[in-house]
């Protein structure tokens, strides 16, 4: 069994219900949700002409390997009707695998840890809520340190 961290985001429809439904669907697929951060309203990242997001991060336990967990996240998005109209655009649900144990990997499909997590307040704020002392396996900084650096 492995511990992983997943970012959840929504900026279309009932955002809070979208996040809660995604968590429920993950649990139905055998992903054990151990902890969920508070919900954080954040400004869009990258493409700014869209509604505010509601974001959270969850800590999960799974027997799935990293790529299988990624496929489960993508299947959950699909089951919820996610449509990819534009890169970083509006979406009813977005699930990103941030960290999987201390695994460092880069494939065409998946990069771990998530390559841009240290630059995203919508990831670091919820992560700070549940795992402030978690250490990034490449940067060797805690979530608290990354969040402080981002807010300077």
């Amino acid at each position: 069994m492995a511990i992983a961290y997943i970012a959840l985001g929504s900026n279309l429809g009932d955002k809070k219900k979208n996040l809660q439904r995604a968590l429920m669907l993950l649990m139905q697929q055998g992903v054990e949700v151990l902890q969920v951060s508070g919900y954080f309203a954040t400004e869009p990242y990258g493409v700014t002409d869209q509604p505010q997001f509601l974001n959270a991060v969850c800590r999960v336990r799974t027997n799935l390997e990293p790529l299988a967990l990624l496929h489960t996240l993508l299947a959950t998005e699909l089951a919820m009707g996610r449509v990819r109209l534009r890169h970083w655009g509006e979406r009813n649900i977005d699930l990103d695998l941030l960290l999987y144990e201390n695994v460092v990997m880069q494939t065409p499909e998946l990069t771990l840890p998530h390559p841009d997590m240290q630059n995203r307040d919508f990831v670091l704020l919820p992560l700070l809520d549940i795992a402030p002392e978690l250490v990034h396996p490449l940067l060797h900084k805690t979530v608290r340190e990354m969040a402080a650096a981002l807010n300077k």
Side-chain angles (χ1 to χ4, degrees):
M1 295 294 263
I3 299 294
Y5 290 84
I6 298 166
L8 303 94
S10 176
N11 74 338
L12 293 177
D14 188 328
K15 300 171 195 177
K16 188 173 181 180
K17 276 191 179 162
N18 290 340
L19 299 185
Q20 292 169 336
R21 181 164 179 239
L23 290 166
M24 185 191 70
L25 289 171
L26 287 173
M27 289 187 285
Q28 288 174 357
Q29 296 174 83
V31 176
E32 183 184 356
V33 176
L34 300 173
Q35 192 174 13
V36 181
S37 71
Y39 296 126
F40 293 81
T42 62
E43 294 303 317
Y45 180 86
V47 177
T48 57
D49 63 333
Q50 57 181 316
Q52 261 196 341
F53 277 83
L54 192 63
N55 294 98
V57 167
C58 64
R59 182 167 58 98
V60 303
R61 183 171 22 227
T62 181
N63 58 7
L64 297 172
E65 294 297 321
L67 275 174
L69 181 55
L70 173 67
H71 293 153
T72 299
L73 300 181
L74 294 172
T76 301
E77 289 179 347
L78 197 59
M80 290 184 62
R82 174 166 177 182
V83 178
R84 295 174 189 267
L85 297 175
R86 58 183 176 157
H87 186 60
W88 288 342
E90 305 81 356
R91 49 215 180 261
N92 66 321
I93 192 65
D94 184 36
L95 303 172
D96 286 328
L97 181 52
L98 301 173
L99 296 158
Y100 183 102
E101 294 287 335
N102 284 318
V103 171
V104 175
M105 67 183 281
Q106 188 162 3
T107 72
E109 255 186 305
L110 177 61
T111 300
L112 285 173
H114 189 287
D116 203 29
M117 64 178 278
Q118 69 275 10
N119 299 316
R120 298 176 173 190
D121 63 347
F122 62 89
V123 168
L124 293 177
L125 291 175
L127 202 48
L128 189 60
D129 194 36
I130 62 171
E133 301 310 316
L134 182 66
V135 177
H136 190 289
L138 286 176
L139 303 177
H140 307 291
K141 292 181 180 177
T142 65
V143 169
R144 186 184 314 281
E145 290 168 330
M146 291 185 291
L150 189 63
N151 292 321
K152 283 185 179 175

